Amino acid sequence: MSGPMLSVENLGKSFRGLRAVNAVEFQVPRGDIVALIGPNGAGKTTTFNLIAGAFPPSDGRVTLDGADITGLDQARICRAGIGRTFQIVKPFAGLTVEENVMVGALRHDGGDVEKARKAANDILDLLELGDKALQPAQTLTLPDRKRLEVAKALATRPKLLLLDEVMAGLRPVECDRMVAILTGLNKEHGLTILLIEHVMRAVMALSDHVVVLHHGEKIAEGTPAEVTSHPKVLECYLGEDHG
Amino acid sequence: MTAANLLSDRRAILLLGLLAALAAAPLAAGDYALSILITVLLQAYLGMAWNVMMGFAGQFSLGHALYVGLGAYAGGALFAHFGTPPLVGALAGMVVSAVAGSIIGTLGFRFKVMGVYFALLTIAFAEFTRVLFDHWNWVGASSGLFLPVSHSVNDDFWNLRGSATMFYYVILGMAAAAFLFSRALLGRRIGYYWQAIREDQDAADALGIDVFRAKMVAVIISASMTSLGGLFIAFYNNNLYPESIFSMHRSIELMLGTIIGGIGTLFGPILGAVALTALGEALTVIGAHIGIDGVKQIAYGVCLMVILAFRPGGLWPWLRHRLRLDGGRR
Ligand SMILES: Nc1ncnc2c1ncn2[C@@H]1O[C@H](COP(=O)(O)OP(=O)(O)OP(=O)(O)O)[C@@H](O)[C@H]1O
Ligand SMILES: [Mg+2]
């Protein structure tokens, strides 16, 4: 199939009076890494939630791999091929790290538990969490919990991975490791990725394309170099900083 | 890996030892001791049934007496009226309970009635059914249903007519089966889905799990298992009153052992049943010495509060740690 992996058209969401997302349009080409950036409260996580089906959009359309998925619930959208992480991590605290990842894997291979365990451990090795597999998830540090979020989403075997600030709180070295891991997933497994990120060094290193949101609207898009020199983008970031 | 195997071997040996001791118990136990053991095993069985829904899937039912009553009345009434064998009655009770559970589950889970409100919904159904049975003449209404007693000296297993020893082995078999069944459930896909839902329903949903379906399966299994406990009560007691079988008191008693023993664990319901019954009996003896009414209830309540204050996760997680059986968490 050709055409983009994800296409978002005229997407909008109102929370009571507040217009959190307004007329947002962008595409994620197959096999690309696209970054969604913008100041705090710009509507990035809300856009993710609309794509992943946490709640339905007020208006607009979301298409995954040519299929209209607008308004489907989260579980169906996951089964359609979107794996997501939560900005505020949601580990299954009482389960082990391995079991956390097995849950997503169990939808495959006819629910075979041992195959799911094997798949989970492969993913944990990839994310350098292998030696913590048997620990309860509640004992993990925040950076490890972020990695666990990625591992859980990957276990569902997504076509498109949505990552909401998985670099936040990571030290520069850890951040570079994560960049390397994501690059590997993208290059070797052809995984398409849409990520929200504040850490600009990660955005610059990873993304083919960047979409910038501000006050719920798209104000710019282009290559990393293009958007970082775009006057509107500079204005909104600097404007925030200077009050 | 080998350490884990050794550990599970040690556990298996402990379990088999316990089972052997329980199997041999009637040889040594008198009538009184046997009746206590039956109480313990029944409590453990019902606690395990409730644990599937609350402990594994995290869905709080405060009205499990409903399924006890439906199972008891289905088996009891069919036997009293038509002489239907209890195995057939058991099937009928399981079907009726599964249907009742599906109705409550559909209302609760579709309309997102959660936590305490879901618990209230389960109580409402139990109470409503109690009132219904109180006015239903075919099952004896409020004056009760009585099962015909056999005068033969031989045990008749297929009609569940016989000695306390026979009932003891029946409930021992049921408890052992419930334990193995619970263990099998936890090790399967559905068990992982339940635990994920229990820990964070939203995150489970985002992993593509059909949350509604998984919760319905939990309710249906838990309700059916509970109804078998009800059938046992009907045939063991030979009489049934809506007021007691569907009572709120029974719903609470049924979950107490599991709460004390450790919600969500496999062995907690069993340990909790032992602890609760031992406590109750000890306090009865002490109470008889002191000779003041009501001391027992108060002491019972205080003991439960002390246990939960110091071991909020229940006794089993703590004891398991003490016995160094911790390797595989449950
Ligand atoms: N469920 C909700 N109900 C009401 N308002 C919401 C809800 N979710 C988000 N909002 C509001 O929508 C706006 C956009 O929030 P959103 O979380 O999408 O921002 P963001 O770009 O992800 O910000 P950050 O970088 O801080 O994570 C904010 O004003 C927020 O308060
Ligand atoms: Mg956000």
Side-chain angles (χ1 to χ4, degrees), chain A residues 55-85:
Chain A
F55 36 68
S58 309
D59 12 56
R61 221 161 82 95
V62 182
T63 316
L64 176 71
D65 209 359
D68 189 348
I69 57 165
T70 318
L72 294 184
D73 62 53
Q74 314 196 67
R76 283 205 177 75
I77 289 184
C78 175
R79 280 177 248 147
I82 295 186
R84 72 161 303 177
T85 69

PDB file of all heavy atoms in Angstrom, chain A residues 55-85:
ATOM      1  N   PHE A  55     -10.374   9.702  23.908  1.00  0.00           N
ATOM      2  CA  PHE A  55     -11.716  10.295  23.796  1.00  0.00           C
ATOM      3  C   PHE A  55     -11.936  10.704  22.340  1.00  0.00           C
ATOM      4  O   PHE A  55     -10.979  10.872  21.587  1.00  0.00           O
ATOM      5  CB  PHE A  55     -11.921  11.473  24.755  1.00  0.00           C
ATOM      6  CG  PHE A  55     -10.698  12.329  24.975  1.00  0.00           C
ATOM      7  CD1 PHE A  55     -10.183  13.119  23.962  1.00  0.00           C
ATOM      8  CD2 PHE A  55     -10.064  12.343  26.213  1.00  0.00           C
ATOM      9  CE1 PHE A  55      -9.069  13.901  24.171  1.00  0.00           C
ATOM     10  CE2 PHE A  55      -8.927  13.126  26.420  1.00  0.00           C
ATOM     11  CZ  PHE A  55      -8.430  13.904  25.409  1.00  0.00           C
ATOM     12  N   PRO A  56     -13.200  10.824  21.927  1.00  0.00           N
ATOM     13  CA  PRO A  56     -13.449  11.118  20.514  1.00  0.00           C
ATOM     14  C   PRO A  56     -13.224  12.605  20.203  1.00  0.00           C
ATOM     15  O   PRO A  56     -13.381  13.444  21.084  1.00  0.00           O
ATOM     16  CB  PRO A  56     -14.933  10.770  20.339  1.00  0.00           C
ATOM     17  CG  PRO A  56     -15.529  10.884  21.705  1.00  0.00           C
ATOM     18  CD  PRO A  56     -14.429  10.602  22.688  1.00  0.00           C
ATOM     19  N   PRO A  57     -12.812  12.932  18.971  1.00  0.00           N
ATOM     20  CA  PRO A  57     -12.630  14.333  18.600  1.00  0.00           C
ATOM     21  C   PRO A  57     -13.973  15.066  18.477  1.00  0.00           C
ATOM     22  O   PRO A  57     -15.001  14.435  18.232  1.00  0.00           O
ATOM     23  CB  PRO A  57     -11.930  14.258  17.241  1.00  0.00           C
ATOM     24  CG  PRO A  57     -12.207  12.906  16.712  1.00  0.00           C
ATOM     25  CD  PRO A  57     -12.482  12.009  17.874  1.00  0.00           C
ATOM     26  N   SER A  58     -13.952  16.380  18.677  1.00  0.00           N
ATOM     27  CA  SER A  58     -15.159  17.176  18.439  1.00  0.00           C
ATOM     28  C   SER A  58     -15.401  17.296  16.935  1.00  0.00           C
ATOM     29  O   SER A  58     -16.520  17.258  16.466  1.00  0.00           O
ATOM     30  CB  SER A  58     -15.022  18.569  19.040  1.00  0.00           C
ATOM     31  OG  SER A  58     -14.613  18.493  20.388  1.00  0.00           O
ATOM     32  N   ASP A  59     -14.303  17.479  16.193  1.00  0.00           N
ATOM     33  CA  ASP A  59     -14.424  17.388  14.735  1.00  0.00           C
ATOM     34  C   ASP A  59     -13.151  16.856  14.113  1.00  0.00           C
ATOM     35  O   ASP A  59     -12.123  16.737  14.789  1.00  0.00           O
ATOM     36  CB  ASP A  59     -14.780  18.734  14.069  1.00  0.00           C
ATOM     37  CG  ASP A  59     -14.651  19.924  14.980  1.00  0.00           C
ATOM     38  OD1 ASP A  59     -13.532  20.127  15.550  1.00  0.00           O
ATOM     39  OD2 ASP A  59     -15.635  20.630  15.150  1.00  0.00           O
ATOM     40  N   GLY A  60     -13.250  16.521  12.828  1.00  0.00           N
ATOM     41  CA  GLY A  60     -12.085  16.069  12.097  1.00  0.00           C
ATOM     42  C   GLY A  60     -12.047  14.580  11.876  1.00  0.00           C
ATOM     43  O   GLY A  60     -12.968  13.851  12.255  1.00  0.00           O
ATOM     44  N   ARG A  61     -10.969  14.140  11.231  1.00  0.00           N
ATOM     45  CA  ARG A  61     -10.874  12.757  10.801  1.00  0.00           C
ATOM     46  C   ARG A  61      -9.457  12.227  11.029  1.00  0.00           C
ATOM     47  O   ARG A  61      -8.482  12.951  10.830  1.00  0.00           O
ATOM     48  CB  ARG A  61     -11.194  12.686   9.301  1.00  0.00           C
ATOM     49  CG  ARG A  61     -12.060  11.507   8.884  1.00  0.00           C
ATOM     50  CD  ARG A  61     -12.665  11.823   7.520  1.00  0.00           C
ATOM     51  NE  ARG A  61     -11.711  11.522   6.471  1.00  0.00           N
ATOM     52  CZ  ARG A  61     -11.698  10.353   5.819  1.00  0.00           C
ATOM     53  NH1 ARG A  61     -12.587   9.429   6.097  1.00  0.00           N
ATOM     54  NH2 ARG A  61     -10.810  10.137   4.883  1.00  0.00           N
ATOM     55  N   VAL A  62      -9.362  10.983  11.471  1.00  0.00           N
ATOM     56  CA  VAL A  62      -8.061  10.334  11.640  1.00  0.00           C
ATOM     57  C   VAL A  62      -8.053   9.066  10.794  1.00  0.00           C
ATOM     58  O   VAL A  62      -8.972   8.257  10.876  1.00  0.00           O
ATOM     59  CB  VAL A  62      -7.811   9.958  13.119  1.00  0.00           C
ATOM     60  CG1 VAL A  62      -6.430   9.342  13.277  1.00  0.00           C
ATOM     61  CG2 VAL A  62      -7.969  11.170  14.027  1.00  0.00           C
ATOM     62  N   THR A  63      -7.021   8.940   9.946  1.00  0.00           N
ATOM     63  CA  THR A  63      -6.934   7.761   9.082  1.00  0.00           C
ATOM     64  C   THR A  63      -5.627   7.043   9.334  1.00  0.00           C
ATOM     65  O   THR A  63      -4.560   7.656   9.313  1.00  0.00           O
ATOM     66  CB  THR A  63      -6.991   8.188   7.600  1.00  0.00           C
ATOM     67  OG1 THR A  63      -8.008   9.168   7.451  1.00  0.00           O
ATOM     68  CG2 THR A  63      -7.329   7.019   6.711  1.00  0.00           C
ATOM     69  N   LEU A  64      -5.703   5.733   9.622  1.00  0.00           N
ATOM     70  CA  LEU A  64      -4.506   4.931   9.831  1.00  0.00           C
ATOM     71  C   LEU A  64      -4.367   3.959   8.672  1.00  0.00           C
ATOM     72  O   LEU A  64      -5.254   3.135   8.446  1.00  0.00           O
ATOM     73  CB  LEU A  64      -4.605   4.154  11.151  1.00  0.00           C
ATOM     74  CG  LEU A  64      -3.438   3.196  11.443  1.00  0.00           C
ATOM     75  CD1 LEU A  64      -2.175   3.970  11.786  1.00  0.00           C
ATOM     76  CD2 LEU A  64      -3.786   2.223  12.549  1.00  0.00           C
ATOM     77  N   ASP A  65      -3.265   4.089   7.935  1.00  0.00           N
ATOM     78  CA  ASP A  65      -2.990   3.136   6.860  1.00  0.00           C
ATOM     79  C   ASP A  65      -4.193   3.012   5.913  1.00  0.00           C
ATOM     80  O   ASP A  65      -4.570   1.914   5.505  1.00  0.00           O
ATOM     81  CB  ASP A  65      -2.690   1.764   7.501  1.00  0.00           C
ATOM     82  CG  ASP A  65      -1.749   0.952   6.620  1.00  0.00           C
ATOM     83  OD1 ASP A  65      -1.366   1.447   5.548  1.00  0.00           O
ATOM     84  OD2 ASP A  65      -1.423  -0.177   7.015  1.00  0.00           O
ATOM     85  N   GLY A  66      -4.830   4.127   5.637  1.00  0.00           N
ATOM     86  CA  GLY A  66      -5.969   4.136   4.715  1.00  0.00           C
ATOM     87  C   GLY A  66      -7.326   3.851   5.339  1.00  0.00           C
ATOM     88  O   GLY A  66      -8.360   4.037   4.697  1.00  0.00           O
ATOM     89  N   ALA A  67      -7.355   3.412   6.587  1.00  0.00           N
ATOM     90  CA  ALA A  67      -8.640   3.096   7.227  1.00  0.00           C
ATOM     91  C   ALA A  67      -9.062   4.213   8.179  1.00  0.00           C
ATOM     92  O   ALA A  67      -8.242   4.714   8.946  1.00  0.00           O
ATOM     93  CB  ALA A  67      -8.533   1.780   7.994  1.00  0.00           C
ATOM     94  N   ASP A  68     -10.320   4.591   8.106  1.00  0.00           N
ATOM     95  CA  ASP A  68     -10.826   5.643   8.987  1.00  0.00           C
ATOM     96  C   ASP A  68     -10.985   5.085  10.400  1.00  0.00           C
ATOM     97  O   ASP A  68     -11.734   4.139  10.620  1.00  0.00           O
ATOM     98  CB  ASP A  68     -12.190   6.121   8.454  1.00  0.00           C
ATOM     99  CG  ASP A  68     -12.671   7.364   9.185  1.00  0.00           C
ATOM    100  OD1 ASP A  68     -12.085   7.713  10.227  1.00  0.00           O
ATOM    101  OD2 ASP A  68     -13.629   7.988   8.695  1.00  0.00           O
ATOM    102  N   ILE A  69     -10.270   5.664  11.364  1.00  0.00           N
ATOM    103  CA  ILE A  69     -10.371   5.164  12.743  1.00  0.00           C
ATOM    104  C   ILE A  69     -10.974   6.224  13.667  1.00  0.00           C
ATOM    105  O   ILE A  69     -10.940   6.083  14.885  1.00  0.00           O
ATOM    106  CB  ILE A  69      -8.993   4.725  13.296  1.00  0.00           C
ATOM    107  CG1 ILE A  69      -7.987   5.881  13.224  1.00  0.00           C
ATOM    108  CG2 ILE A  69      -8.464   3.516  12.551  1.00  0.00           C
ATOM    109  CD1 ILE A  69      -6.742   5.652  14.073  1.00  0.00           C
ATOM    110  N   THR A  70     -11.530   7.275  13.081  1.00  0.00           N
ATOM    111  CA  THR A  70     -12.080   8.369  13.887  1.00  0.00           C
ATOM    112  C   THR A  70     -13.146   7.860  14.852  1.00  0.00           C
ATOM    113  O   THR A  70     -14.066   7.150  14.445  1.00  0.00           O
ATOM    114  CB  THR A  70     -12.742   9.420  12.975  1.00  0.00           C
ATOM    115  OG1 THR A  70     -11.919   9.629  11.839  1.00  0.00           O
ATOM    116  CG2 THR A  70     -12.967  10.732  13.717  1.00  0.00           C
ATOM    117  N   GLY A  71     -12.990   8.222  16.117  1.00  0.00           N
ATOM    118  CA  GLY A  71     -14.043   7.923  17.089  1.00  0.00           C
ATOM    119  C   GLY A  71     -14.060   6.498  17.613  1.00  0.00           C
ATOM    120  O   GLY A  71     -14.878   6.164  18.466  1.00  0.00           O
ATOM    121  N   LEU A  72     -13.166   5.625  17.135  1.00  0.00           N
ATOM    122  CA  LEU A  72     -13.082   4.277  17.719  1.00  0.00           C
ATOM    123  C   LEU A  72     -12.516   4.381  19.131  1.00  0.00           C
ATOM    124  O   LEU A  72     -11.824   5.339  19.460  1.00  0.00           O
ATOM    125  CB  LEU A  72     -12.168   3.375  16.883  1.00  0.00           C
ATOM    126  CG  LEU A  72     -12.601   3.001  15.471  1.00  0.00           C
ATOM    127  CD1 LEU A  72     -11.606   2.020  14.873  1.00  0.00           C
ATOM    128  CD2 LEU A  72     -13.993   2.397  15.486  1.00  0.00           C
ATOM    129  N   ASP A  73     -12.794   3.360  19.975  1.00  0.00           N
ATOM    130  CA  ASP A  73     -12.231   3.421  21.327  1.00  0.00           C
ATOM    131  C   ASP A  73     -10.767   2.957  21.330  1.00  0.00           C
ATOM    132  O   ASP A  73     -10.279   2.397  20.357  1.00  0.00           O
ATOM    133  CB  ASP A  73     -13.091   2.620  22.310  1.00  0.00           C
ATOM    134  CG  ASP A  73     -13.162   1.152  21.952  1.00  0.00           C
ATOM    135  OD1 ASP A  73     -12.088   0.544  21.786  1.00  0.00           O
ATOM    136  OD2 ASP A  73     -14.275   0.618  21.829  1.00  0.00           O
ATOM    137  N   GLN A  74     -10.079   3.205  22.442  1.00  0.00           N
ATOM    138  CA  GLN A  74      -8.627   2.954  22.533  1.00  0.00           C
ATOM    139  C   GLN A  74      -8.256   1.527  22.173  1.00  0.00           C
ATOM    140  O   GLN A  74      -7.281   1.294  21.474  1.00  0.00           O
ATOM    141  CB  GLN A  74      -8.077   3.114  23.943  1.00  0.00           C
ATOM    142  CG  GLN A  74      -8.465   4.270  24.745  1.00  0.00           C
ATOM    143  CD  GLN A  74      -7.505   4.410  25.927  1.00  0.00           C
ATOM    144  OE1 GLN A  74      -6.322   4.703  25.739  1.00  0.00           O
ATOM    145  NE2 GLN A  74      -8.002   4.203  27.129  1.00  0.00           N
ATOM    146  N   ALA A  75      -9.033   0.565  22.720  1.00  0.00           N
ATOM    147  CA  ALA A  75      -8.672  -0.834  22.512  1.00  0.00           C
ATOM    148  C   ALA A  75      -8.731  -1.177  21.024  1.00  0.00           C
ATOM    149  O   ALA A  75      -7.835  -1.830  20.487  1.00  0.00           O
ATOM    150  CB  ALA A  75      -9.589  -1.740  23.309  1.00  0.00           C
ATOM    151  N   ARG A  76      -9.767  -0.703  20.343  1.00  0.00           N
ATOM    152  CA  ARG A  76      -9.900  -0.995  18.913  1.00  0.00           C
ATOM    153  C   ARG A  76      -8.782  -0.331  18.126  1.00  0.00           C
ATOM    154  O   ARG A  76      -8.244  -0.907  17.183  1.00  0.00           O
ATOM    155  CB  ARG A  76     -11.259  -0.505  18.397  1.00  0.00           C
ATOM    156  CG  ARG A  76     -12.386  -1.424  18.801  1.00  0.00           C
ATOM    157  CD  ARG A  76     -13.564  -1.336  17.841  1.00  0.00           C
ATOM    158  NE  ARG A  76     -14.575  -2.295  18.244  1.00  0.00           N
ATOM    159  CZ  ARG A  76     -15.385  -2.123  19.292  1.00  0.00           C
ATOM    160  NH1 ARG A  76     -15.305  -1.020  20.015  1.00  0.00           N
ATOM    161  NH2 ARG A  76     -16.263  -3.045  19.623  1.00  0.00           N
ATOM    162  N   ILE A  77      -8.451   0.899  18.512  1.00  0.00           N
ATOM    163  CA  ILE A  77      -7.389   1.600  17.782  1.00  0.00           C
ATOM    164  C   ILE A  77      -6.053   0.900  18.006  1.00  0.00           C
ATOM    165  O   ILE A  77      -5.249   0.772  17.083  1.00  0.00           O
ATOM    166  CB  ILE A  77      -7.365   3.090  18.187  1.00  0.00           C
ATOM    167  CG1 ILE A  77      -8.612   3.753  17.597  1.00  0.00           C
ATOM    168  CG2 ILE A  77      -6.079   3.762  17.717  1.00  0.00           C
ATOM    169  CD1 ILE A  77      -8.715   5.233  17.794  1.00  0.00           C
ATOM    170  N   CYS A  78      -5.839   0.394  19.206  1.00  0.00           N
ATOM    171  CA  CYS A  78      -4.614  -0.367  19.455  1.00  0.00           C
ATOM    172  C   CYS A  78      -4.583  -1.597  18.563  1.00  0.00           C
ATOM    173  O   CYS A  78      -3.570  -1.913  17.942  1.00  0.00           O
ATOM    174  CB  CYS A  78      -4.524  -0.774  20.916  1.00  0.00           C
ATOM    175  SG  CYS A  78      -3.117  -1.848  21.252  1.00  0.00           S
ATOM    176  N   ARG A  79      -5.735  -2.272  18.488  1.00  0.00           N
ATOM    177  CA  ARG A  79      -5.781  -3.483  17.655  1.00  0.00           C
ATOM    178  C   ARG A  79      -5.617  -3.142  16.177  1.00  0.00           C
ATOM    179  O   ARG A  79      -5.135  -3.950  15.397  1.00  0.00           O
ATOM    180  CB  ARG A  79      -7.084  -4.245  17.902  1.00  0.00           C
ATOM    181  CG  ARG A  79      -7.014  -5.081  19.174  1.00  0.00           C
ATOM    182  CD  ARG A  79      -8.315  -5.781  19.454  1.00  0.00           C
ATOM    183  NE  ARG A  79      -8.929  -5.232  20.651  1.00  0.00           N
ATOM    184  CZ  ARG A  79     -10.234  -5.128  20.848  1.00  0.00           C
ATOM    185  NH1 ARG A  79     -11.089  -5.525  19.931  1.00  0.00           N
ATOM    186  NH2 ARG A  79     -10.690  -4.611  21.970  1.00  0.00           N
ATOM    187  N   ALA A  80      -6.001  -1.907  15.801  1.00  0.00           N
ATOM    188  CA  ALA A  80      -5.824  -1.484  14.408  1.00  0.00           C
ATOM    189  C   ALA A  80      -4.354  -1.198  14.106  1.00  0.00           C
ATOM    190  O   ALA A  80      -3.970  -1.083  12.943  1.00  0.00           O
ATOM    191  CB  ALA A  80      -6.675  -0.251  14.135  1.00  0.00           C
ATOM    192  N   GLY A  81      -3.506  -1.055  15.169  1.00  0.00           N
ATOM    193  CA  GLY A  81      -2.075  -0.918  14.910  1.00  0.00           C
ATOM    194  C   GLY A  81      -1.397   0.318  15.487  1.00  0.00           C
ATOM    195  O   GLY A  81      -0.301   0.673  15.067  1.00  0.00           O
ATOM    196  N   ILE A  82      -2.048   0.983  16.452  1.00  0.00           N
ATOM    197  CA  ILE A  82      -1.372   2.114  17.095  1.00  0.00           C
ATOM    198  C   ILE A  82      -1.005   1.747  18.524  1.00  0.00           C
ATOM    199  O   ILE A  82      -1.862   1.366  19.315  1.00  0.00           O
ATOM    200  CB  ILE A  82      -2.260   3.380  17.089  1.00  0.00           C
ATOM    201  CG1 ILE A  82      -2.507   3.852  15.654  1.00  0.00           C
ATOM    202  CG2 ILE A  82      -1.604   4.496  17.912  1.00  0.00           C
ATOM    203  CD1 ILE A  82      -3.249   5.172  15.550  1.00  0.00           C
ATOM    204  N   GLY A  83       0.296   1.827  18.841  1.00  0.00           N
ATOM    205  CA  GLY A  83       0.739   1.624  20.218  1.00  0.00           C
ATOM    206  C   GLY A  83       1.106   2.969  20.796  1.00  0.00           C
ATOM    207  O   GLY A  83       1.700   3.784  20.103  1.00  0.00           O
ATOM    208  N   ARG A  84       0.748   3.235  22.051  1.00  0.00           N
ATOM    209  CA  ARG A  84       1.036   4.548  22.610  1.00  0.00           C
ATOM    210  C   ARG A  84       1.663   4.452  23.991  1.00  0.00           C
ATOM    211  O   ARG A  84       1.478   3.469  24.696  1.00  0.00           O
ATOM    212  CB  ARG A  84      -0.242   5.366  22.740  1.00  0.00           C
ATOM    213  CG  ARG A  84      -1.122   4.850  23.860  1.00  0.00           C
ATOM    214  CD  ARG A  84      -2.142   5.867  24.327  1.00  0.00           C
ATOM    215  NE  ARG A  84      -1.541   7.112  24.778  1.00  0.00           N
ATOM    216  CZ  ARG A  84      -2.255   8.160  25.169  1.00  0.00           C
ATOM    217  NH1 ARG A  84      -3.574   8.108  25.133  1.00  0.00           N
ATOM    218  NH2 ARG A  84      -1.657   9.243  25.569  1.00  0.00           N
ATOM    219  N   THR A  85       2.393   5.480  24.375  1.00  0.00           N
ATOM    220  CA  THR A  85       2.846   5.599  25.757  1.00  0.00           C
ATOM    221  C   THR A  85       2.086   6.755  26.383  1.00  0.00           C
ATOM    222  O   THR A  85       1.531   7.594  25.674  1.00  0.00           O
ATOM    223  CB  THR A  85       4.350   5.908  25.838  1.00  0.00           C
ATOM    224  OG1 THR A  85       4.562   7.242  25.356  1.00  0.00           O
ATOM    225  CG2 THR A  85       5.151   4.932  25.002  1.00  0.00           C
TER     226      THR A  85
END
